[in-house]
Amino acid sequence: MSTQNVVPLHPAKADESDHLAHVYAQFPLEVVDAMGVYLHTPDGRKVLDLYGGHAVAAVGYGHPRWVEALTRQAQALAFQSNAVPLDVRVRAATKLAKFCGLGLNTVFFVNSGAEANENALKLALKITEAREVVAIEGSFHGRTAAAGAVTWGAMKKWYGFPQAPFDVQFLPRGNIPAIKETITDKTAAVIVEPIQGVAGACDLPKAFLEAIRQRCSETGTLLIFDEVQCGMGRTGHPFAANMYGVTPDIITTAKALGAGFPVSAVLMADHVASYLKMDDLGTTFGGGPMACAMVEVVLDIIEDEGLLSNVLARSAEIREKCIAGPVTAIQGAGMLLGLRTTRPAKEIQAELLKRDILTGTSGDPNVVRILAPYVLKSEHVEALRAALIDIGK
């Protein structure tokens, strides 16, 4: 998760009894519990959460099926590593591949979005034996060595490692003519967020993604879609790849995958998985039984409760009704939306929080980000609209 572009409302404060590393600024909001789409504070406030724990709380808080599945699995078997075969791991992988529906039929479970991207990049470099990776300007892929190396602006701000593990080039966002000269037979991988979350819910042009796909096929380069934030139904489709009609060689996903339980996955096409040999990938906690049980139940909830359709419907309502007050335009897709504002986004975010609505900001100083749970209702959209009108231009 990025901290650099989630603009805080006040800095974290340390005291003598606090042993936490203070590397995050924090919202002026204490949460004691939550239910559905609402956060509850000690002083009795009920805050509409349109931020969703940074795109994590896909099915809302306290969903009875989520809680029951977590409890049942914890009581049955809290942990065993990948050295022990587990039916729940097989079921989760099978359901995830089927949900994706793009022929990426091999799944490797790990723990976080950055870890999924590390593994995807390592596979691409190993398979192609090339040493260059191309990313897109504005991208965010994680804070680890490889993922951070392909994150736009990381080298100047927080990277910390003495050098990147491979050569990196950044392709200008939406620049189709630059694709041919940037992606060559020396390029191991192109890693792309189809909708750039931290950048402000920037949806990349379909023609741009199609041109990248074509060029990767020409040069033998592996195309990785980083769908850590925009995947798992957040666009109203299984993945943004489904929405765009562009199939990558690898998809990475996390955040909504466990809807609050830490888990991520690398989904691979057959021609990628065919290169795998024993010990090529490894993880201690990835693919643990509790993580896999949560993947399974989240997929079941999304499908059984028609949440993809709900995401599309609520997204359309926000686009129709919430260009109001300081909002002049809306970008993104599904429940990953950027509200473009006439005033700095951090000011609008603070004003919304005063009206008991929590939102995010982004790398664009004039974009408020919506990462709401998929169970959002029309009444919640109306509450956002009313608050925006009340704030005024």
Side-chain angles (χ1 to χ4, degrees):
M1 170 182 166
S2 165
T3 59
Q4 69 192 50
N5 291 319
V6 177
V7 180
L9 300 184
H10 77 97
K13 296 180 180 179
D15 60 40
E16 292 181 0
S17 64
D18 190 345
H19 299 282
L20 292 172
H22 290 278
V23 294
Y24 276 87
Q26 297 179 326
F27 300 121
L29 180 70
E30 184 179 350
V31 177
V32 292
D33 59 34
M35 184 58 64
V37 296
Y38 287 100
L39 308 174
H40 304 141
T41 69
D43 57 356
R45 292 172 65 193
K46 187 178 177 183
V47 178
L48 175 60
D49 185 10
L50 301 184
Y51 182 64
H54 203 79
V56 169
V59 299
Y61 300 97
H63 193 293
R65 292 176 65 182
W66 190 95
V67 173
E68 195 277 332
L70 182 67
T71 303
R72 183 176 64 246
Q73 186 59 58
Q75 291 172 336
L77 179 66
F79 183 71
Q80 268 299 332
S81 75
N82 286 276
V84 175
L86 296 174
D87 286 345
V88 67
R89 188 183 299 128
V90 173
R91 293 197 308 268
T94 300
K95 285 190 175 185
L96 182 56
K98 183 179 178 182
F99 177 73
C100 178
L102 295 173
L104 280 65
N105 292 321
T106 299
V107 176
F108 180 60
F109 287 117
V110 278
N111 305 286
S112 70
E115 189 180 357
N117 286 334
E118 291 279 329
N119 280 280
L121 290 164
K122 182 176 79 169
L123 278 174
L125 292 158
K126 183 178 178 65
I127 290 169
T128 64
E129 298 183 346
R131 58 169 298 145
E132 180 181 281
V133 175
V134 171
I136 313 300
E137 291 182 1
S139 61
F140 185 92
H141 299 291
R143 289 182 172 270
T144 48
V150 290
T151 291
W152 180 248
M155 292 293 179
K156 293 181 179 179
K157 294 181 180 178
W158 51 258
Y159 188 65
F161 298 92
Q163 62 188 39
F166 40 73
D167 299 327
V168 182
Q169 286 200 66
F170 285 95
L171 182 63
R173 189 163 55 203
N175 190 335
I176 294 176
I179 289 173
K180 187 172 184 179
E181 63 185 48
T182 306
I183 303 169
T184 70
D185 57 8
K186 296 180 181 179
T187 309
V190 178
I191 185 166
V192 181
E193 293 175 277
I195 302 175
Q196 294 184 329
V198 172
C202 298
D203 40 326
L204 300 183
K206 177 179 171 67
F208 180 62
L209 295 176
E210 289 174 335
I212 291 175
R213 172 67 277 178
Q214 181 178 343
R215 183 59 176 163
C216 286
S217 297
E218 292 169 355
T219 59
T221 300
L222 293 184
L223 177 57
I224 302 167
F225 272 13
D226 174 350
E227 299 218 28
V228 168
Q229 189 167 138
C230 66
M232 278 299 294
R234 185 153 293 279
T235 63
H237 301 264
F239 289 91
N242 305 83
M243 182 183 75
Y244 281 106
V246 176
T247 302
D249 303 292
I250 299 173
I251 287 178
T252 59
T253 194
K255 294 193 183 294
L257 181 62
F261 195 94
V263 59
S264 65
V266 182
L267 289 78
M268 296 165 263
D270 291 347
H271 62 272
V272 175
S274 66
Y275 280 88
L276 291 176
K277 300 180 181 62
M278 198 65 65
D279 293 330
D280 274 353
L281 302 174
T283 172
T284 296
F285 292 105
M290 291 181 68
C292 290
M294 302 324 294
V295 171
E296 187 176 25
V297 75
V298 168
L299 287 167
D300 285 344
I301 291 169
I302 289 172
E303 293 185 332
D304 294 348
E305 298 185 10
L307 294 188
L308 296 184
S309 296
N310 191 65
V311 166
L312 291 173
R314 300 293 82 74
S315 182
E317 285 183 357
I318 291 172
R319 288 180 178 276
E320 177 187 351
K321 298 180 178 182
C322 293
I323 297 180
V327 177
T328 60
I330 299 177
Q331 58 201 39
M335 286 295 106
L336 175 50
L337 295 175
L339 311 184
R340 187 159 293 282
T341 57
T342 55
R343 292 189 278 126
K346 62 182 180 181
E347 293 182 11
I348 306 306
Q349 180 196 45
E351 290 294 325
L352 286 169
L353 189 54
K354 289 178 183 176
R355 293 161 174 80
D356 291 337
I357 298 176
L358 179 64
T359 58
T361 55
S362 72
D364 188 319
N366 284 91
V367 171
V368 170
R369 216 168 3 148
I370 301 295
L371 306 167
Y374 305 170
V375 293
L376 204 70
K377 296 180 180 179
S378 295
E379 65 194 67
H380 305 131
V381 176
E382 292 292 344
L384 175 60
R385 172 180 168 79
L388 291 169
I389 292 172
D390 189 47
I391 290 170
K393 295 182 179 181

